[in-house]
Amino acid sequence: MAGGAAAAGRSVTSRALGVLDAFDTDHPRLTLSEVATRSGTPLTTTHRLLGELVEWGALVRRPDGRYEIGRKIWDLGLLAPVQLELRQVAAPFLLDVHTATRDTVHLAVREGLRALYVERISGRESVPVVSTVGSRLPLHATGVGKVLLACAPDEVVERALQELTRETRYTVVDPRAITRELGDVRRRGWSRTTEEMSLGTASVAVPVTVDRSAGPVVVAALGIVVPTHRRDLTRLAPVLQVAARGIGRALARTVEFH
């Protein structure tokens, strides 16, 4: 990080961007002093910039005094070509799945060690689903997350296995058990969870794959969340796989995903 002397010659814009750049997957919430240190900006300047960024909506100040990325950044991110293209292309397929099942349908992408939910259609039953559009939930504890983790590079899997958090009493936090489960996901092509992220819910998810010149690439995960009393979970996987193939083919026809 640059020191205060170097920061003195930076423009207001570069300082503000430096403050935002202090946040990342491993540092989603920071104190004033942490932001100043990570951005190389003087404390008084950091305090002023944080106030302006909070007022604009780029950051949010939590009750404990720490800062985190605000909704405004998420809204702007949705305008990024790839993200926007993914949501637009996938929307009718998500609607098809929802029409056929009447359950909550999710579309997520991997962001570090989190599943970032980019689209959601709510189901007919009152299910305690914790995810919303813009939510970032642990890969190891969600259906879509386990699919994304199973398809992630080895170094990502290794990091995830070192950071297994217990979200409910049913969350699998044994690295060996997770490793076996990821192998099952790769072999059968879909994941399944039961009350690992939220009590009273179960989920099934499948990968969304785009064929590229170098081979198929998993770009997202499509999932369904249902109450735990439902016994037809495995029957939902083929429904999701049909929709996922449709999304993949549609994405392959767009320039951004080649």
Side-chain angles (χ1 to χ4, degrees):
M1 296 294 174
R10 294 159 57 192
S11 69
V12 174
T13 301
S14 66
R15 290 185 183 185
L17 292 175
V19 165
L20 292 176
D21 200 42
F23 297 84
D24 57 28
T25 303
D26 296 324
H27 303 86
R29 300 182 182 93
L30 298 170
T31 64
L32 167 61
S33 60
E34 289 171 337
V35 174
T37 299
R38 287 179 55 79
S39 65
T41 306
L43 197 63
T44 54
T45 303
T46 301
H47 184 268
R48 174 176 57 80
L49 290 173
L50 286 173
E52 294 176 359
L53 290 168
V54 167
E55 183 178 0
W56 184 71
L59 295 175
V60 173
R61 190 172 188 270
R62 294 163 50 86
D64 62 6
R66 292 185 296 171
Y67 295 85
E68 62 186 5
I69 297 297
R71 183 77 187 202
K72 188 83 170 193
I73 297 296
W74 163 253
D75 291 337
L76 290 174
L78 293 179
L79 301 178
V82 172
Q83 198 82 296
L84 183 61
E85 196 76 49
L86 174 61
R87 297 178 73 235
Q88 290 177 337
V89 167
F93 296 97
L94 266 67
L95 185 58
D96 286 345
V97 173
H98 178 261
T99 300
T101 65
R102 295 299 176 185
D103 293 311
T104 298
V105 186
H106 285 145
L107 182 70
V109 297
R110 185 174 68 83
E111 185 180 84
L113 300 183
R114 298 272 167 170
L116 170 61
Y117 289 74
V118 298
E119 193 58 276
R120 168 186 168 179
I121 302 180
S122 298
R124 61 188 169 185
E125 297 191 61
S126 179
V127 181
V129 180
V130 297
S131 61
T132 59
V133 174
S135 294
R136 293 167 173 81
L137 301 180
L139 294 174
H140 70 280
T142 60
V144 289
K146 289 188 178 185
V147 164
L148 295 169
L149 186 57
C151 303
D154 291 342
E155 58 269 23
V156 174
V157 177
E158 291 175 6
R159 284 178 54 208
L161 293 178
Q162 296 171 4
E163 301 182 26
L164 299 176
T165 56
R166 189 177 295 281
E167 305 300 325
T168 75
R169 62 180 179 272
Y170 299 108
T171 308
V172 181
V173 293
D174 179 1
R176 291 172 296 182
I178 290 289
T179 299
R180 289 194 297 271
E181 193 170 354
L182 295 179
D184 291 339
V185 172
R186 298 183 191 104
R187 183 170 56 255
R188 70 190 178 203
W190 52 274
S191 69
R192 175 176 178 171
T193 66
T194 303
E195 297 189 292
E196 292 189 48
M197 189 70 226
S198 179
L199 296 178
T201 66
S203 67
V204 176
V206 302
V208 175
T209 304
V210 174
D211 289 325
R212 293 176 175 166
S213 57
V217 176
V218 173
V219 297
L222 179 64
I224 290 181
V225 178
V226 302
T228 50
H229 64 73
R230 291 275 294 276
R231 303 299 180 192
D232 61 345
L233 277 182
T234 56
R235 298 180 183 177
L236 296 175
V239 177
L240 289 172
Q241 288 170 333
V242 170
R245 284 194 292 269
I247 296 172
R249 286 193 295 267
L251 288 174
R253 292 193 291 269
T254 66
V255 175
E256 289 83 356
F257 280 86
H258 278 293

